[in-house]
Amino acid sequence: MPCNPNASEEVKAVMTFLSEVAGKGLITGQHTQTRDQKELGYIQEVTGKLPALCGFELLSYSPNINYEDSGEECLVEVEENKNTLEKAWDWVLNQKGLITFAWHWFSPIGGRDKSFYTEFTDYDASQAVIEGTVEHQALISDMDHIAEILKEFRDKRIPLLWRPFHEAEGTWFWWGAKGPDVARKLYRIMYERYTNVHHLDNLIWVWNSPLKEGYPGDEVVDVISRDLYPPKRKHTALKPEYEELIQITPVSKVTALGEIGVTPNISEVAANGIPWAWYMIWSKEYGSTDVWTSEKVLYATYHHEYAITLDKLPRLY
């Protein structure tokens, strides 16, 4: 059952599907963050298929992007990401695929360039979790801004795999810079606000860290996940990584590879019954070239009987 007691029927249907498929199949996923979505075109060209799950990025929808003090790389990334919500709508309404959102959140105040990175902002997440501070007010303001975007999907009864504060175990993003306990508090603040204030009952809550310390609690998490970047063309079942991840809670949760640089070895995953529900290859060269995963392996993965591709995805909403 979803952690949100008021979760929509569509969320319940997706959660049931994820629970039932884990250990019996592997949902194929691909992240995209640009309007042209080269990754999807590449996969279709090589395999003749599309992933069942598509990832989208909300970075350009951050309210506090410092355009005046950003480098060319940052500005290009923001520009390429603009209006990608149109592609997200096409994916769910026309392709009928599953969807997940990530948010490289430009710091709510302060910062320059890619200020979702700790090195480019002095925004203090440890102050942001304290009510009454300027940092907290800015945090809530940004959350509310994105909530309005998510409400459009709610109103159309579209369930979203929502993966906020990703890679919370690291210090490279501002939300992890002050340690896992602060990241835990940030997540719980968002959960409470999105569930009890904005009534975003279309969200499936995905926690993204393998650390037991900082886990926000079973009552606010639907799926546990982690991000992994093995060496180029090294494909395994990721069994040790799975066993480490499930140590963060004694409760059986749906498990997923929130980001990965190469396809898992789907034959080994199937043979060992490792219940990853989905994997999601990251964008750009990870998903649109053969640098990390060869065309031969990509084709074999998408045509494996264990793989759940878009054409094998049941109608869930």
Side-chain angles (χ1 to χ4, degrees), residues 82-103:
K82 287 182 177 178
N83 300 318
T84 49
L85 281 174
E86 295 176 10
K87 297 292 185 178
W89 278 110
D90 176 71
W91 181 257
V92 294
L93 295 179
N94 299 321
Q95 300 287 359
K96 306 299 182 184
L98 292 171
I99 186 171
T100 181
F101 277 132
W103 182 16

Short mmCIF file of all heavy atoms in Angstrom, two decimals, residues 82-103:
data_model
loop_
_atom_site.label_atom_id
_atom_site.label_comp_id
_atom_site.label_asym_id
_atom_site.label_seq_id
_atom_site.Cartn_x
_atom_site.Cartn_y
_atom_site.Cartn_z
N LYS A 82 14.27 23.62 -20.94
CA LYS A 82 13.03 24.39 -20.92
C LYS A 82 11.97 23.73 -21.78
O LYS A 82 12.25 23.17 -22.84
CB LYS A 82 13.29 25.82 -21.40
CG LYS A 82 14.04 26.68 -20.38
CD LYS A 82 14.23 28.10 -20.90
CE LYS A 82 14.91 28.98 -19.86
NZ LYS A 82 15.14 30.36 -20.37
N ASN A 83 10.74 23.80 -21.30
CA ASN A 83 9.56 23.29 -22.01
C ASN A 83 9.54 21.77 -22.17
O ASN A 83 8.75 21.24 -22.96
CB ASN A 83 9.42 23.95 -23.39
CG ASN A 83 9.28 25.46 -23.29
OD1 ASN A 83 8.56 25.97 -22.44
ND2 ASN A 83 9.99 26.18 -24.15
N THR A 84 10.38 21.07 -21.42
CA THR A 84 10.36 19.61 -21.53
C THR A 84 9.12 19.00 -20.90
O THR A 84 8.83 17.83 -21.14
CB THR A 84 11.62 18.99 -20.87
OG1 THR A 84 11.80 19.56 -19.56
CG2 THR A 84 12.86 19.27 -21.71
N LEU A 85 8.39 19.78 -20.12
CA LEU A 85 7.14 19.26 -19.58
C LEU A 85 6.15 18.91 -20.70
O LEU A 85 5.30 18.03 -20.54
CB LEU A 85 6.50 20.26 -18.63
CG LEU A 85 7.10 20.31 -17.22
CD1 LEU A 85 6.48 21.43 -16.41
CD2 LEU A 85 6.91 18.97 -16.49
N GLU A 86 6.29 19.57 -21.86
CA GLU A 86 5.45 19.21 -23.00
C GLU A 86 5.73 17.77 -23.42
O GLU A 86 4.81 17.02 -23.78
CB GLU A 86 5.72 20.17 -24.16
CG GLU A 86 5.32 21.61 -23.88
CD GLU A 86 5.70 22.55 -25.01
OE1 GLU A 86 6.10 22.05 -26.09
OE2 GLU A 86 5.58 23.78 -24.83
N LYS A 87 7.00 17.37 -23.36
CA LYS A 87 7.37 16.00 -23.69
C LYS A 87 6.85 15.03 -22.63
O LYS A 87 6.46 13.90 -22.94
CB LYS A 87 8.89 15.90 -23.81
CG LYS A 87 9.49 16.73 -24.93
CD LYS A 87 9.08 16.19 -26.29
CE LYS A 87 9.78 16.93 -27.41
NZ LYS A 87 9.43 16.38 -28.74
N ALA A 88 6.87 15.48 -21.38
CA ALA A 88 6.36 14.63 -20.30
C ALA A 88 4.86 14.37 -20.49
O ALA A 88 4.39 13.23 -20.31
CB ALA A 88 6.61 15.30 -18.95
N TRP A 89 4.14 15.40 -20.87
CA TRP A 89 2.71 15.22 -21.11
C TRP A 89 2.47 14.28 -22.28
O TRP A 89 1.56 13.43 -22.23
CB TRP A 89 2.04 16.57 -21.36
CG TRP A 89 1.73 17.31 -20.11
CD1 TRP A 89 2.34 18.44 -19.63
CD2 TRP A 89 0.75 16.95 -19.13
NE1 TRP A 89 1.79 18.81 -18.43
CE2 TRP A 89 0.81 17.92 -18.10
CE3 TRP A 89 -0.17 15.92 -19.03
CZ2 TRP A 89 -0.02 17.87 -16.98
CZ3 TRP A 89 -1.00 15.87 -17.91
CH2 TRP A 89 -0.91 16.84 -16.92
N ASP A 90 3.24 14.39 -23.32
CA ASP A 90 3.10 13.49 -24.46
C ASP A 90 3.36 12.05 -24.04
O ASP A 90 2.66 11.13 -24.46
CB ASP A 90 4.07 13.89 -25.58
CG ASP A 90 4.03 12.93 -26.75
OD1 ASP A 90 3.02 12.93 -27.48
OD2 ASP A 90 5.00 12.16 -26.93
N TRP A 91 4.36 11.88 -23.18
CA TRP A 91 4.73 10.53 -22.75
C TRP A 91 3.58 9.85 -22.00
O TRP A 91 3.27 8.68 -22.24
CB TRP A 91 5.98 10.59 -21.88
CG TRP A 91 6.45 9.25 -21.42
CD1 TRP A 91 6.29 8.69 -20.17
CD2 TRP A 91 7.13 8.26 -22.20
NE1 TRP A 91 6.82 7.42 -20.14
CE2 TRP A 91 7.34 7.14 -21.37
CE3 TRP A 91 7.56 8.22 -23.52
CZ2 TRP A 91 7.99 5.98 -21.82
CZ3 TRP A 91 8.21 7.08 -23.97
CH2 TRP A 91 8.42 5.98 -23.13
N VAL A 92 2.96 10.56 -21.10
CA VAL A 92 1.91 9.93 -20.29
C VAL A 92 0.56 9.87 -20.99
O VAL A 92 -0.20 8.92 -20.81
CB VAL A 92 1.77 10.61 -18.90
CG1 VAL A 92 3.02 10.40 -18.08
CG2 VAL A 92 1.47 12.10 -19.04
N LEU A 93 0.26 10.87 -21.81
CA LEU A 93 -1.06 10.91 -22.43
C LEU A 93 -1.12 10.11 -23.73
O LEU A 93 -2.15 9.48 -24.02
CB LEU A 93 -1.48 12.35 -22.69
CG LEU A 93 -1.69 13.23 -21.46
CD1 LEU A 93 -2.08 14.65 -21.86
CD2 LEU A 93 -2.75 12.63 -20.53
N ASN A 94 -0.06 10.14 -24.50
CA ASN A 94 -0.06 9.48 -25.80
C ASN A 94 0.69 8.15 -25.81
O ASN A 94 0.20 7.17 -26.37
CB ASN A 94 0.51 10.43 -26.86
CG ASN A 94 -0.32 11.69 -27.00
OD1 ASN A 94 -1.55 11.65 -26.94
ND2 ASN A 94 0.33 12.83 -27.17
N GLN A 95 1.86 8.13 -25.18
CA GLN A 95 2.61 6.88 -25.12
C GLN A 95 2.13 5.94 -24.02
O GLN A 95 2.39 4.74 -24.06
CB GLN A 95 4.11 7.16 -24.90
CG GLN A 95 4.76 8.00 -25.99
CD GLN A 95 4.97 7.23 -27.29
OE1 GLN A 95 4.64 6.06 -27.39
NE2 GLN A 95 5.53 7.90 -28.29
N LYS A 96 1.45 6.51 -23.01
CA LYS A 96 0.91 5.75 -21.89
C LYS A 96 2.01 5.04 -21.08
O LYS A 96 1.81 3.94 -20.56
CB LYS A 96 -0.11 4.70 -22.38
CG LYS A 96 -1.23 5.25 -23.25
CD LYS A 96 -2.07 6.29 -22.51
CE LYS A 96 -3.22 6.78 -23.38
NZ LYS A 96 -4.01 7.85 -22.73
N GLY A 97 3.17 5.70 -20.98
CA GLY A 97 4.27 5.13 -20.23
C GLY A 97 4.31 5.60 -18.79
O GLY A 97 3.62 6.56 -18.40
N LEU A 98 5.12 4.94 -17.98
CA LEU A 98 5.38 5.38 -16.62
C LEU A 98 6.32 6.57 -16.66
O LEU A 98 7.15 6.71 -17.57
CB LEU A 98 6.00 4.24 -15.81
CG LEU A 98 5.10 3.04 -15.52
CD1 LEU A 98 5.92 1.92 -14.89
CD2 LEU A 98 3.94 3.42 -14.60
N ILE A 99 6.23 7.41 -15.62
CA ILE A 99 7.02 8.63 -15.62
C ILE A 99 7.64 8.86 -14.25
O ILE A 99 7.02 8.57 -13.21
CB ILE A 99 6.14 9.84 -16.02
CG1 ILE A 99 6.96 11.12 -16.16
CG2 ILE A 99 4.99 10.04 -15.04
CD1 ILE A 99 6.18 12.28 -16.77
N THR A 100 8.87 9.35 -14.25
CA THR A 100 9.53 9.73 -13.01
C THR A 100 10.16 11.11 -13.17
O THR A 100 10.62 11.46 -14.26
CB THR A 100 10.59 8.70 -12.58
OG1 THR A 100 11.17 9.11 -11.34
CG2 THR A 100 11.68 8.53 -13.61
N PHE A 101 10.16 11.87 -12.09
CA PHE A 101 10.75 13.21 -12.09
C PHE A 101 11.94 13.26 -11.14
O PHE A 101 11.88 12.74 -10.02
CB PHE A 101 9.74 14.26 -11.63
CG PHE A 101 8.81 14.75 -12.71
CD1 PHE A 101 7.44 14.82 -12.47
CD2 PHE A 101 9.29 15.13 -13.94
CE1 PHE A 101 6.57 15.27 -13.45
CE2 PHE A 101 8.43 15.59 -14.94
CZ PHE A 101 7.07 15.66 -14.69
N ALA A 102 12.99 13.91 -11.60
CA ALA A 102 14.10 14.31 -10.74
C ALA A 102 14.17 15.84 -10.79
O ALA A 102 13.69 16.47 -11.73
CB ALA A 102 15.42 13.71 -11.23
N TRP A 103 14.77 16.42 -9.76
CA TRP A 103 14.86 17.88 -9.70
C TRP A 103 16.24 18.28 -9.21
O TRP A 103 16.53 18.19 -8.03
CB TRP A 103 13.77 18.44 -8.78
CG TRP A 103 13.73 19.93 -8.68
CD1 TRP A 103 14.32 20.84 -9.51
CD2 TRP A 103 13.04 20.70 -7.69
NE1 TRP A 103 14.05 22.12 -9.10
CE2 TRP A 103 13.25 22.06 -7.99
CE3 TRP A 103 12.27 20.37 -6.57
CZ2 TRP A 103 12.74 23.09 -7.20
CZ3 TRP A 103 11.73 21.38 -5.80
CH2 TRP A 103 11.97 22.73 -6.11
#
